[in-house]
């Protein structure tokens, strides 16, 4: 069976065409989807076949064995030529005028797709999920290994199709598909800095602090008198020298034994760590009062008396 000089045979559609980008036909909207423009003879052949709708096609570059899938937008191209998005030509490694094989296929409805943006800029969009949903409405199928283009705010974002289920090519028309995102290609994990380990453990630091801090020793100061006079004799620091204090007391009493006996008893009582009030052991005997020498009375100086001078008359 022949249509306009192009032969189609069999019960399936498969034909080779020369491909050109969408800019050659002044159809810029093709870049926002995955649909191609085919010649009218392809529509006549497809209409005579019992094919499944929507029409889906497999694109193959035999020289590089790259495969992708697409839909069809219109049948207005010149015979022997097709027009496709430029990003699709890049996926298939095709140049202007290269030969591509177009075959009609039926793809299962997609259940899962995993996407990976090329750059982190796509994640900086205020609502990337909504932008992606709007863009995928112009797509009819997805293929594992392809890179689709998402245009937003006068900027182009490329996204890789990392994985598709249940097959490498899926249809996304009227289906609920789970979408997962992989980290962008230029994403770098922040370096984790290990926490600096302290040189000493808390226990060691606490031990060092206790060693450095001076211990509190009560009553380590020197004794001073309230009247500011120097001390003639300091008391012994411990009770072990109580015997010497008894000897000093006995010497001051003129060598009497009666004074030494009670002083030794009181010192022994104080050496037991108790304070004994009312004890006269440490009291020194009162010194005998020396007679006060009477000083001779001082001569009284004459007191000042006013108006005690002589009288003089102004007349002479």
């Amino acid at each position: 069976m022949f249509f306009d000089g192009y032969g189609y045979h069999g019960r399936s559609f498969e034909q080779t065409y020369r491909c050109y980008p969408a800019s050659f036909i002044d159809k810029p909207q093709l870049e926002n989807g995955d649909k191609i423009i085919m010649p009218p003879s392809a529509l006549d052949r497809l209409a005579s076949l019992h094919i499944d709708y929507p029409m889906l096609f497999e694109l193959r570059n035999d020289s590089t064995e790259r495969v992708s899938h697409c839909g069809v937008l219109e049948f207005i191209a010149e015979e022997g030529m097709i027009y496709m998005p430029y990003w699709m030509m890049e996926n298939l490694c095709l140049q202007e005028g290269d030969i591509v094989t177009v075959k009609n296929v039926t793809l299962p409805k997609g259940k899962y797709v995993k996407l990976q943006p090329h750059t982190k800029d796509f994640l900086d969009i205020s609502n990337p999920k909504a932008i992606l949903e709007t863009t995928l409405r112009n797509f009819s199928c997805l293929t594992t290994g392809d890179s689709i283009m998402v245009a937003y705010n006068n900027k182009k974002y490329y996204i890789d199709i990392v994985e598709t289920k249940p097959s490498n090519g899926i249809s996304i028309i009227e289906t609920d598909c789970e979408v997962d995102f992989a980290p962008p290609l230029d994403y770098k994990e922040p370096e984790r800095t290990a926490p600096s380990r302290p040189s000493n453990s808390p226990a060691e630091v606490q031990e060092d602090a206790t060693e450095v801090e001076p211990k509190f020793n009560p009553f380590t100061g020197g004794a001073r008198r309230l009247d500011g006079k120097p001390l003639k004799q300091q008391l012994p620091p411990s009770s072990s020298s109580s015997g010497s204090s008894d000897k000093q007391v006995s010497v001051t009493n003129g060598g009497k034994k009666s004074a030494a006996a009670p002083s030794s008893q009181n010192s022994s009582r104080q050496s037991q760590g108790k304070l004994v009030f009312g004890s006269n052991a440490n009291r020194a005997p009162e010194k005998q009062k020396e007679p006060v020498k009477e000083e001779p009375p001082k001569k009284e100086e004459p007191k000042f008396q006013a108006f005690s001078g002589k009288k003089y008359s102004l007349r002479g």
Side-chain angles (χ1 to χ4, degrees):
M1 186 178 296
F2 295 91
F3 293 90
D4 297 331
Y6 291 90
Y8 300 96
H9 54 83
R11 296 182 179 180
S12 63
F13 178 85
E14 184 174 357
Q15 184 63 28
T16 58
Y17 297 97
R18 292 191 179 273
C19 64
Y20 295 92
S23 59
F24 277 43
I25 197 175
D26 195 16
K27 294 281 186 181
Q29 64 270 21
L30 285 181
E31 297 293 338
N32 297 328
D34 67 337
K35 295 178 176 59
I36 64 175
I37 295 178
M38 300 179 69
S41 60
L43 177 59
D44 296 337
R45 173 59 180 169
L46 291 168
S48 64
L49 300 174
H50 299 284
I51 61 174
D52 296 332
Y53 290 90
M55 296 181 184
L56 299 177
F57 301 92
E58 176 188 278
L59 303 178
R60 179 185 296 273
N61 184 358
D62 294 331
S63 60
T64 58
E65 296 184 356
R66 297 294 297 270
V67 177
S68 184
H69 297 88
C70 66
V72 61
L73 180 65
E74 294 177 320
F75 293 91
I76 60 173
E78 294 83 355
E79 294 298 332
M81 299 171 58
I82 61 171
Y83 299 95
M84 62 175 61
Y86 185 72
W87 61 265
M88 189 178 294
M89 294 179 63
E90 290 180 338
N91 288 336
L92 296 172
C93 301
L94 293 172
Q95 299 295 330
E96 299 173 3
D98 287 350
I99 300 298
V100 61
T101 302
V102 181
K103 181 181 179 181
N104 172 245
V105 293
T106 300
L107 297 177
K109 291 187 176 182
K111 300 296 183 182
Y112 172 82
V113 60
K114 187 174 185 180
L115 307 177
Q116 185 177 28
H118 284 197
T119 61
K120 296 183 293 184
D121 297 341
F122 181 74
L123 301 180
D124 295 336
I125 299 176
S126 59
N127 194 352
K129 182 180 178 181
I131 299 301
L132 186 62
E133 289 179 354
T134 303
T135 302
L136 291 181
R137 289 174 185 172
N138 300 323
F139 284 73
S140 54
C141 54
L142 296 175
T143 306
T144 302
D146 280 358
S147 295
I148 63 175
M149 190 270 295
V150 176
Y152 176 72
N153 199 15
N154 297 327
K155 191 173 182 180
K156 296 180 180 180
Y157 302 93
Y158 289 90
I159 301 176
D160 290 342
I161 310 299
V162 179
E163 184 182 0
T164 56
K165 292 179 182 180
S167 64
N168 290 337
I170 58 173
S171 172
I172 59 172
I173 299 175
E174 296 180 358
T175 181
D176 293 332
C177 186
E178 180 184 356
V179 180
D180 190 12
F181 282 90
L185 295 177
D186 61 348
Y187 175 76
K188 293 182 180 179
E189 294 185 1
E191 298 179 358
R192 297 180 180 178
T193 57
S196 58
R197 186 178 179 182
S199 57
N200 296 328
S201 61
E204 295 178 355
V205 173
Q206 189 174 3
E207 290 179 359
D208 295 342
T210 53
E211 291 179 359
V212 173
E213 292 179 358
K215 295 182 179 180
F216 174 71
N217 294 324
F219 308 113
T220 55
R224 293 185 181 181
R225 293 174 55 126
L226 295 176
D227 55 3
K229 295 181 179 180
L231 293 176
K232 295 181 180 180
Q233 184 178 3
Q234 294 182 355
L235 296 177
S238 61
S239 60
S240 59
S241 59
S242 60
S244 60
S245 63
D246 295 341
K247 292 179 182 179
Q248 292 175 359
V249 174
S250 62
V251 171
T252 56
N253 288 334
K256 295 182 180 180
K257 295 181 180 180
S258 60
S263 63
S264 61
Q265 292 177 1
N266 293 330
S267 63
S268 62
R269 291 172 62 187
Q270 291 183 356
S271 63
Q272 296 176 2
K274 298 181 180 180
L275 294 177
V276 180
F277 296 94
S279 175
N280 296 324
N282 294 331
R283 295 182 182 177
E286 296 181 357
K287 296 181 180 180
Q288 294 180 358
K289 295 183 179 180
E290 296 180 358
V292 180
K293 296 180 181 180
E294 295 181 358
E295 295 180 357
K298 295 181 180 180
K299 295 180 180 180
E300 294 182 359
E301 295 180 357
K303 293 182 180 180
F304 173 75
Q305 294 179 1
F307 307 107
S308 59
K310 295 180 180 181
K311 295 180 180 181
Y312 293 96
S313 176
L314 294 175
R315 295 178 181 178

